[in-house]
Each structure stands twice: as C-alpha cells, then as structure tokens.
C-alpha cells in the first residue's frame, strides 16, 4: 500500500510517504511560514523523489486536528480533495495522537499538547501499553493549570511533548517537578512518518465527503451566540 | 476543439463549482449558499464560512462534474478564485484546486473574483470592447474599464462602504432581517422618496463612490424623527435611500462611459439583483443609446460559472498559476 500523510495542523508542516510498510520519504519543517503556499510543492517534491505518481497512491492520511483552524483546514482540504478525486480512502488521525507516538516505549503517561492561547492547551493523555500507544483521556481543550493539577493527583511520571514547549515548560515543571519529563527537540515535533504509520494501520471509518476536521471547539461566534441564547432562556424562565 | 473549464469559488459564503464549455456554455453551476447559517449572527462569520466550505467542497465538486457530465479527462484546466475575499474561505477553494490540478496533471488558473463577476456577462452576451462595468456587491463598488479581454482598469471605487454593505447597515437600522438589500429594494417600490438625503458626488471628475455619509444621514434622520416623537414610514426611508444610491451609481457610470468613449455597459455583482438599479440603468442606457448587459440573478450572486468563464479567457491568454498559488484576500484587479 502507498500512503501519503499530510500534517499542517500546527506550525510544523509534515509530509510523509509510506510504501508497503516502509517509510520511503518524510519532509518536515518547524517554522512559521505559509502552509497554504508550501504544502502542495512539498507533496509534489516528495512524491517525485520517491517516484510515486498520484495515481499510484492507495490512501491519504491526514492530521485532522486539533490545532490551528486554518492550518487544519489546509491539510484536510488538500487531503480530502486528493482522496475524492483519486477515488481512494482518507483516514484521519488526531494531531495529538501523532505527537504521542514520539513517546513510544515511555513507561509512564504521555501528555502531548498544542498551545490554544489564553493559558489553554489542546491535550489528551496517552500511554505506551501492549506494544502500542493507547488513549487514556480523550483530546480536549483545557486550562493548562487545571490539566496539570489533575496530573499531580496521578502518581506517575508524565512525558510532555509539544512544539510549543517554550511557552509551557515553566508551568509544567513547577506543577509536577520531578514527575514531569520533557521530551527532547526531536520528540517535540509531530513526525509525518508516525502519522503515515498510524494511518496505514487504521480502519477506514467514513466516506471522503463525510470527513471533517476535528476542531474540538466551536467557532467563537457560535459559542457567544449559544451563551446569549442560554441567557435569554434563563431570563424568560425567571420571569 | 472544445475547451472545458472547471471553476471553483469559495471567497465568501457560497461554496460553488461549475463546468463551463468554451468559456460561455454552462454545463453545470452548483452553488451551496450558507446564508441560513449566518443569518442568526446578522452577517457572514468568517470562521463559520470556512468550516462550511471544507464540509461542502468535495460534494459540490462531484455534483458539478456529474451534472456537467464530464470526467477529469475532459477537463482542460481548473480555474479558482484567488482573491479578494475572506482569507480562510479562499484557502479552501485554492487548496482544493491545487490538489485537483496536481492529482490529474491539469493547468491551474487563479482568477480575480471581480473579473469573475464581469465575465458572468460574457456567458449572457459575448463581450465586445471597449466596455465599462459597474460592479456592485456586498464587498465591492467599482467602475472597471476594459479595452480588451483580460485587461482591467479600475477607474473608480468606493472610498468607504461598498454599496451592498450600506444596504445591509441601513436595513439593520430599519430593523429588517439579514441580508437587508432585497428588503430595502422591495420596500422602496412601495414607498415614495420623500426624505431629502445627500448624494455623494465627491470632487469634480472623480468616478469614486462614498456611501458612509448617506448611511449616517439615514441614521440621523431616523434618530431625529424619533426624538420628535414622529415615525417615518419605513417604505419612504427605503425609497429615499435607494433613490440616492441609484442616482449616484447611474450618473457616475454615464459620466465614465462618456469620458472613456464606450458604448457598452455591463452590470455585475450581487447588488445587480436590485430591481430599482436594473430599471434605472436600463432606462438611462436606452436613452443614451448604450448597449447594456445584465446577467440573470443566478449569475449576479457569487457562483463558479463566472470564475470558469473568466478562467477560460485567462487560460486562452496563457495565464497560469503554479503549486504556490495562495489565497490573496486583498488581491488587486489588473
Ligand atoms: Zn462577489
């Protein structure tokens, strides 16, 4: 099976190609540059290098979020359109699950995260167990301080993985001190090769048309609108 | 030999794909409007528009190809709106177009959204040059002079609000539902232009527009009436506002036509659906012996057939975009 993996859910842009279980190509950058402009040239270059034409692809694998809304959309739109137009399946993988795989063989808990501004993070809890990465607590958006106090009460070492580590390392180590393990530079960025591997092993869950990003949270306008509506309703009830 | 273009448009709140043959014959034009989703917010919310586009894009592409009865083998090029528009919305169309172009080895043509609106007229009646287009929509108010295919000279544009924006704001002040333009147009026909409102002619010889002063005048008039305990009939407010807008649009178009010595006028953009504007422009052009083209309503609002039609001409002119094509929210028309 020839699988093409695409990840633009954060600043890290990754493209990976897997051929019959072998990772034949991986392209990754960790810079704040335009994904919309650079993704397609990166895909073209990599596929040319590994001598696989688009029509020889069997599956598209994409990091479905959470992450930057725009970033996720660039990857998902590209992946969906490639899959639909080539008549091949699309498989989505959580951007946090991809990152968690950098903690393979770690004995404790794994907490991959993506900065979500205003002290919040997208995160989940994973563990290496029975030869695979398992999700222990599902992906969510949460105040990092709340997440860390929850982890304080669990009597285990936690490996933290994130390309946004610089903004969060201090709060992590002050909350968990010796229980916190910080990944090294190569482990902090999601690897498209990992994405490709996870994606080739996953079941195909849905038709391409039905495939949507997983933003985890509603658009801000929608949240505000729902809050206003709830306010109205409770006011009406009070009267 | 026939030429088949697949057009894609996602610059605002319509997800659209279309197949156009030889630049003028629409084989399909599928438009998914999100207007219902944005109504509760009183306007287009960019993030929600972008989310809808991702959810819709492959459905719409498939439907356009099925209805147009074409396969990828039949398609000569892919044309997509490159800008201007909402950046997040544009990115969906642009990245989908790049994926298709790459997967099926097709040339890619980035199209300016306003060029698309202008070329909606080419589908109706073949363009002849020189010509002048009055572009009126929620985001644009422009006079565009063309001496040939693919050559655009913006000789006048709004300095503040676009005409459609002014309609929506006045409609909101009058308590009309979003989008307000059609409501004002309808009410204007039921009322009389009894309220004196300003006309923004700007300086002598300028083909630019300004609608914010008019909008404020309407708001002030309503406010003053309220202070005095009077109520102005909403129909008359609508009629007075619409009269001012249309008078300026038509007069400036006529002046520009005279200066540029053109005898062909096109109307383009979503506000071209306005009955009052259509009627007035038609009557004036007739009087002056100018040939006027107005697209049907379905081609006035955002749609991908107009992008395919413009893309067809650009393709013939040898214009090509590459893998690095990006959404450009502030793209200029040249
Ligand atoms: Zn438009």
């Amino acid at each position: 099976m020839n699988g093409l993996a695409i990840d633009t859910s954060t600043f890290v842009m990754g493209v990976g190609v897997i051929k019959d279980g072998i990772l034949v190509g991986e392209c990754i950058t960790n810079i704040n540059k335009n994904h919309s402009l650079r993704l397609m040239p990166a895909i073209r270059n990599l596929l040319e290098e590994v001598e696989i034409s688009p029509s020889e692809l069997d599956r598209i694998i994409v990091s479905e979020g959470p992450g930057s809304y725009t970033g996720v959309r660039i990857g998902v739109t590209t992946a969906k359109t490639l899959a639909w137009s080539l008549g091949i399946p699309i498989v989505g993988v959580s951007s946090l699950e991809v990152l968690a795989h950098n903690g393979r063989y770690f004995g404790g808990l794994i907490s991959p995260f993506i900065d979500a501004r205003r002290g919040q993070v997208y995160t989940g809890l994973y563990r290496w167990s029975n030869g695979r990465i398992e999700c222990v607590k599902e992906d969510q958006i949460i105040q990092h301080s709340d997440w860390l106090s929850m982890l304080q009460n669990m009597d285990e070492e936690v490996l933290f993985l994130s390309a946004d580590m610089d903004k969060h390392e201090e709060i992590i180590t002050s909350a968990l001190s010796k229980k916190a393990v910080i990944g090294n530079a190569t482990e902090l960025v999601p690897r498209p090769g990992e994405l490709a591997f996870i994606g080739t092993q996953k079941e195909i869950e849905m038709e391409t048309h039905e495939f949507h990003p997983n933003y985890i949270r509603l658009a801000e306008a929608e949240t505000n609108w729902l809050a206003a509506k709830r306010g109205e309703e409770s006011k009406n009830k009070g009267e | 030999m026939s030429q088949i273009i697949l057009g894609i448009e996602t610059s605002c709140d319509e997800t659209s794909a279309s197949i156009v043959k030889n630049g003028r014959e629409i084989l399909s034009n599928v438009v998914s409007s999100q207007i219902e989703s944005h109504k509760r917010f009183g306007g287009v919310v960019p993030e929600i528009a972008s989310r809808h586009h991702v959810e819709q894009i492959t459905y719409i592409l498939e439907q356009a190809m099925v209805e147009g009865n074409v396969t990828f083998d039949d398609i000569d090029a892919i044309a997509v709106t490159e800008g201007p528009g909402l950046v997040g919305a544009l990115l969906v169309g642009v990245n989908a177009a790049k994926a298709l172009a790459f997967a099926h080895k097709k040339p890619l043509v980035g199209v300016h959204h306003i060029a698309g609106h202008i070329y909606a007229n080419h589908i109706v009646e073949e363009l002849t040059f020189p010509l002048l287009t009055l572009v009126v929509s929620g985001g644009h108010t422009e006079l565009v002079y063309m001496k040939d295919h693919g050559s655009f000279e913006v000789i006048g544009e709004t300095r503040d609000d676009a005409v459609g924006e002014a309609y929506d704001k006045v409609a909101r002040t009058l308590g009309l539902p979003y989008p307000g333009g059609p409501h004002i147009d309808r009410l204007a026909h039921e009322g009389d232009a009894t309220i004196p409102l300003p006309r923004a002619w700007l300086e002598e010889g300028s083909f630019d527009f300004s609608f914010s002063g008019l909008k404020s005048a309407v708001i002030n008039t309503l406010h003053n009436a309220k202070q005095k305990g009077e109520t102005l009939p909403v129909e008359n407010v609508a009629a007075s506002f619409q009269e001012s807008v249309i008078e300026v649009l038509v007069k400036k178009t006529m002046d520009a036509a005279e200066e540029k010595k053109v005898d062909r006028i096109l109307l383009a953009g979503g506000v071209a659906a306005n009955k009052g504007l259509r009627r007035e422009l038609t009557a004036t052009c007739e009087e002056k012996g100018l040939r006027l083209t107005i697209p049907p309503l379905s081609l006035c609002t955002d749609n991908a057939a107009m992008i395919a039609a413009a893309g067809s001409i650009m393709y013939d002119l040898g214009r090509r975009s590459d893998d690095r094509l990006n959404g450009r929210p502030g793209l200029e028309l040249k």
Side-chain angles (χ1 to χ4, degrees):
Chain A
M1 175 175 22
N2 295 328
L4 169 67
I6 297 167
D7 184 359
T8 55
S9 59
T10 63
F11 281 153
V12 180
M13 183 183 86
V15 181
V17 180
I18 202 160
K19 187 187 167 103
D20 302 325
I22 297 166
L23 179 65
V24 291
E26 198 177 21
C27 156
I28 182 167
T29 60
N30 180 19
I31 48 176
N32 184 7
K33 268 193 180 173
N34 198 311
H35 289 335
S36 171
L37 197 134
R38 296 167 59 237
L39 177 61
M40 195 47 75
I43 293 173
R44 183 188 295 274
N45 288 341
L46 190 59
L47 285 177
E48 270 171 17
E49 284 292 333
V50 301
E51 294 177 11
I52 294 175
S53 73
S55 59
E56 290 169 324
L57 291 170
D58 301 299
R59 177 177 286 206
I60 307 290
I61 302 133
V62 67
S63 175
E64 66 186 12
S68 141
Y69 295 163
T70 302
V72 169
R73 272 194 289 273
I74 290 165
V76 170
T77 301
T78 303
K80 245 180 115 159
T81 311
L82 285 174
W84 164 72
S85 80
L86 292 167
I88 57 176
I90 183 170
V91 170
V93 179
S94 149
S95 54
L96 293 166
E97 186 185 341
V98 176
L99 201 45
H101 276 72
N102 289 352
R104 188 183 278 111
Y105 310 126
F106 183 72
L109 293 162
I110 304 164
S111 176
F113 68 88
I114 297 164
D115 183 75
R117 300 205 189 113
R118 286 177 243 160
Q120 302 174 103
V121 287
Y122 294 110
T123 189
L125 209 52
Y126 293 81
R127 179 197 293 285
W128 173 255
S129 149
N130 300 322
R132 55 186 287 267
I133 292 284
E134 272 178 5
C135 183
V136 182
K137 249 186 198 317
E138 68 173 23
D139 296 353
Q140 55 193 282
I141 181 163
I142 186 169
Q143 280 295 323
H144 209 184
S145 50
D146 294 344
W147 178 255
L148 294 170
S149 8
M150 186 270 297
L151 292 177
Q152 266 169 352
N153 299 327
M154 300 174 87
D155 197 28
E156 272 192 89
E157 275 196 328
V158 186
L159 172 63
F160 289 88
L161 300 169
S162 177
D164 303 317
M165 191 58 79
D166 52 341
K167 272 185 238 159
H168 293 263
E169 186 163 356
E170 214 178 288
I171 162 172
I172 292 168
T173 46
S174 70
L176 294 181
S177 58
K178 278 187 181 154
K179 274 202 296 185
V181 180
I182 307 292
N184 76 14
T186 57
E187 292 155 356
L188 296 184
V189 290
R191 321 295 304 195
E194 294 289 356
L195 174 64
F197 266 106
I198 306 165
T200 45
Q201 282 151 25
K202 260 182 107 168
E203 295 285 319
I204 293 145
E205 282 167 347
M206 63 188 89
E207 213 207 332
T208 304
H209 289 315
E210 304 287 331
F211 188 88
H212 304 326
N214 179 16
Y215 302 104
I216 299 264
R217 68 176 158 182
L218 295 174
E220 205 176 333
E222 204 155 0
T223 311
N224 295 343
W225 184 82
L226 287 170
K229 200 176 136 199
R230 268 197 297 274
E232 284 280 302
E233 277 168 6
S234 57
K235 210 173 82 191
N236 290 344
K237 266 185 209 146
E239 272 166 9
Chain B
M1 239 193 52
S2 72
Q3 176 219 56
I4 301 280
I5 304 285
L6 165 62
I8 302 173
E9 153 68 37
T10 65
S11 68
C12 191
D13 61 340
E14 328 274 352
T15 317
S16 181
S18 165
I19 304 291
V20 169
K21 186 176 173 185
N22 300 328
R24 299 195 53 222
E25 189 187 333
I26 299 176
L27 301 186
S28 67
N29 188 20
V30 181
V31 182
S32 162
S33 171
Q34 308 172 2
I35 207 150
E36 288 304 320
S37 308
H38 297 280
K39 251 183 186 162
R40 59 190 166 135
F41 305 113
V44 176
V45 179
E47 174 60 24
I48 290 174
S50 306
R51 290 186 177 198
H52 275 284
H53 287 310
V54 182
E55 289 173 14
Q56 291 293 316
I57 189 72
T58 57
Y59 278 115
I60 301 301
L61 287 166
E62 182 167 282
Q63 200 181 334
M65 289 182 61
V66 169
E67 281 180 24
N69 196 21
V70 295
T71 65
F72 283 109
D73 286 343
D74 302 321
I75 293 170
D76 292 292
I78 292 158
V80 63
T81 307
E82 178 181 1
L86 303 170
V87 63
L90 288 165
L91 289 180
V92 176
V94 165
N95 283 286
K98 291 205 289 187
L100 292 180
F102 170 67
H104 299 276
K105 300 183 170 63
K106 302 291 178 188
L108 183 64
V109 184
V111 173
H112 192 285
H113 182 75
I114 297 303
H117 274 301
I118 294 171
Y119 273 90
N121 285 282
H122 188 56
I123 296 171
V124 185
E125 287 181 291
E126 203 159 333
L127 298 191
T128 49
F129 302 94
L131 63 77
L132 184 70
T133 309
L134 173 62
V135 183
V136 279
S137 75
H140 302 272
T141 309
E142 278 157 28
L143 278 167
V144 182
Y145 170 74
M146 292 177 71
K147 60 179 190 311
D148 206 345
H149 277 303
S151 142
F152 307 92
E153 188 191 339
V154 179
I155 59 168
E157 61 193 328
T158 184
R159 292 181 184 172
D160 38 61
D161 293 349
V163 63
E165 221 176 328
Y167 265 89
D168 283 342
K169 285 178 183 169
V170 167
R172 204 176 305 157
T173 312
L174 292 172
L176 300 170
Y178 171 85
H183 293 285
I184 293 195
D185 188 23
R186 176 177 51 79
L187 289 167
H189 292 274
E190 296 165 12
D192 296 308
T194 53
I195 302 156
L197 290 171
R199 270 77 173 139
W201 298 117
L202 305 175
E203 61 286 355
E204 183 74 28
S206 168
F207 299 124
D208 281 351
F209 301 95
S210 166
F211 295 102
S212 70
L214 173 61
K215 176 194 71 194
S216 307
V218 173
I219 294 169
N220 288 339
T221 306
L222 288 166
H223 182 75
N224 291 341
K226 204 176 166 190
Q227 296 261 300
K228 285 189 242 161
E230 296 168 8
T231 43
L232 296 171
V234 65
E235 295 83 2
N236 291 356
V237 179
S240 308
F241 167 73
Q242 174 138 316
E243 188 187 71
S244 170
V245 170
I246 292 175
E247 192 180 318
V248 173
L249 290 176
V250 173
K251 173 81 165 50
K252 293 236 177 203
T253 306
M254 292 305 126
D255 290 352
E258 198 177 313
E259 184 172 305
K260 287 293 192 180
K261 299 184 176 60
V262 304
D263 54 11
R264 179 105 196 250
I265 308 286
L266 314 177
L267 185 59
V271 180
N274 185 291
K275 290 197 192 71
L277 177 59
R278 286 175 170 245
R279 199 178 48 202
E280 196 58 33
L281 196 60
T282 304
T284 312
C285 283
E286 219 160 83
E287 194 182 299
K288 304 221 173 209
L290 302 172
R291 182 177 167 200
L292 174 69
T293 308
I294 303 179
L297 296 189
S298 60
L299 292 177
C300 287
T301 47
D302 290 351
N303 68 90
M306 70 185 199
I307 301 302
S312 161
I313 297 289
M314 306 302 164
Y315 178 72
D316 284 343
L317 290 171
R319 311 257 177 100
R320 300 288 183 273
S321 304
D322 65 16
D323 269 357
R324 296 171 63 81
L325 182 70
N326 198 3
R328 293 164 68 191
L331 183 66
E332 277 182 46
L333 182 61
K334 273 184 276 195

